[in-house]
Amino acid sequence: MLEFRNISFHFPTKRNTIDVLHDVSFTCGEDEIVAVVGPSGCGKSTLLSLATGLRKPTAGDILIDGRPVKGQNRLIGMMFQQSTLLPWRSVVENVELGLEIRGEPKSFRRDKAVTLMRQYGLGGFERKYPHALSGGMQKRAALAQTLAMEPEVLLLDEPFAALDAQTRVVIENDVVKICRAGKRSVLLVTHDISEAISMADRVVVLSRRPGTVKEIFDIPFSRGAKSVADVPAMPEYATYFKRIWDALDISVTGMNETAA
Ligand SMILES: Nc1ncnc2c1ncn2[C@@H]1O[C@H](COP(=O)(O)OP(=O)(O)O)[C@@H](O)[C@H]1O
Ligand SMILES: [Mg+2]
């Protein structure tokens, strides 16, 4: 389980400090998908970078299974919107990259990469180079690269934003399946309320900067859906969408961030 306990974070600047996050607390359990939504610049990406342990909160604790995260952490996998494959490595070499950095033996990492690629509909593309793949396939390869490391906690920072609608649904469903099957915690940052409701068990709404938890919504109904694409047609959907939209307060304050 991933736990944020009273997290605050300030950026030091030359003249003063910028308050980015203020007293953020919530949890993401095993086998749970938690979506974080909030206005641009409210500190969502910062929150994920704190969870990786590579950056330290100014105050508060981040715990995985009750232990503080620090430094490089094998339990954590992260994927960004900009996550790209290295163009000079074949697709399979990209998928096994993390394992290679970790120092796993060649045959082990190759077997694992090939198996994952088959699971993700990338069989036969092992020796191709990334440019030969469609955007959706590249994204799936990047996901396979992250999952090859078998992280307990998966941090996703708007990873599906650039995908076409159909590919997006396929990959969103993949992520839900992976989370459920592997009893992982998935923390998904998204600006898309519909994606948040369709994928997540809970939606955390952050305020404008400094980001604080405005409200947390339990989404009890989407877990039963066969596909994330079916969720918007469910009777409860519109009510939750409206409640989250209202909590975001976008129509009043706008999505744009204020200058630091
Ligand atoms: N390296 C940095 N130095 C100073 N301020 C930063 C830095 N990175 C991000 N910020 C500021 O911190 C705030 C939160 O950024 P970020 O976490 O990327 O927001 P979000 O992901 O919610 O859009 C923004 O106002 C941004 O301008
Ligand atoms: Mg961001």
Side-chain angles (χ1 to χ4, degrees):
M1 179 171 100
L2 173 66
E3 183 176 3
F4 295 91
R5 218 183 257 173
N6 308 108
I7 292 301
S8 294
F9 185 76
H10 316 305
F11 265 121
T13 61
K14 278 203 182 114
R15 290 207 204 115
N16 51 3
T17 58
I18 305 172
D19 285 346
V20 177
L21 293 163
H22 178 71
D23 200 20
V24 171
S25 298
F26 67 91
T27 60
C28 179
E30 193 179 88
D31 183 28
E32 199 174 34
I33 303 177
V34 173
V36 176
V37 298
S40 175
C42 77
K44 303 180 295 296
S45 296
T46 305
L47 193 65
L48 292 194
S49 72
L50 294 173
T52 63
L54 296 174
R55 193 181 260 171
K56 275 179 63 124
T58 313
D61 297 299
I62 300 171
L63 310 166
I64 292 181
D65 297 333
R67 280 190 289 276
V69 298
K70 48 175 182 269
Q72 281 209 328
N73 199 316
R74 281 172 170 236
L75 301 176
I76 293 177
M78 178 143 178
M79 195 168 127
F80 311 89
Q81 184 177 345
Q82 309 86 338
S83 281
T84 43
L85 305 170
L86 299 175
W88 59 86
R89 291 179 70 118
S90 68
V91 180
V92 73
E93 285 167 352
N94 267 285
V95 173
E96 68 185 20
L97 179 65
L99 297 172
E100 188 177 328
I101 292 169
R102 194 186 266 182
E104 302 289 357
K106 171 133 193 182
S107 62
F108 170 82
R109 59 182 202 244
R110 183 55 57 97
D111 285 353
K112 189 152 191 180
V114 167
T115 307
L116 270 170
M117 284 185 67
R118 290 209 186 112
Q119 271 174 28
Y120 287 113
L122 296 167
F125 288 85
E126 290 83 358
R127 285 176 207 290
K128 301 271 190 225
Y129 283 80
H131 66 83
L133 269 57
S134 70
M137 292 170 86
Q138 291 185 22
K139 194 58 70 174
R140 264 183 268 162
L143 188 61
Q145 185 194 74
T146 306
L147 293 171
M149 314 282 285
E150 296 189 7
E152 270 181 33
V153 176
L154 197 55
L155 306 172
L156 304 173
D157 195 354
E158 310 205 28
F160 316 123
L163 295 174
D164 66 88
Q166 286 93 349
T167 308
R168 189 172 169 154
V169 166
V170 171
I171 297 188
E172 286 168 346
N173 278 326
D174 280 348
V175 169
V176 172
K177 237 188 286 164
I178 287 158
C179 169
R180 308 293 184 222
K183 296 224 180 300
R184 291 167 214 261
S185 308
V186 177
L187 188 59
L188 168 73
V189 164
T190 176
H191 60 262
D192 184 335
I193 302 176
S194 181
E195 179 172 84
I197 297 174
S198 303
M199 289 181 70
D201 302 299
R202 260 167 330 122
V203 178
V204 176
V205 178
L206 294 182
S207 70
R208 308 188 88 186
R209 198 186 69 218
T212 53
V213 175
K214 268 190 117 173
E215 214 169 330
I216 298 179
F217 295 89
D218 279 315
I219 312 289
F221 59 95
S222 58
R223 216 178 235 254
K226 257 215 197 113
S227 163
V228 294
D230 297 336
V231 176
M234 296 173 95
E236 301 92 334
Y237 176 85
T239 313
Y240 278 86
F241 192 100
K242 173 85 168 64
R243 286 174 63 200
I244 294 168
W245 176 263
D246 288 346
L248 275 167
D249 219 10
I250 291 164
S251 50
V252 182
T253 57
M255 276 297 258
N256 295 332
E257 63 181 294
T258 44

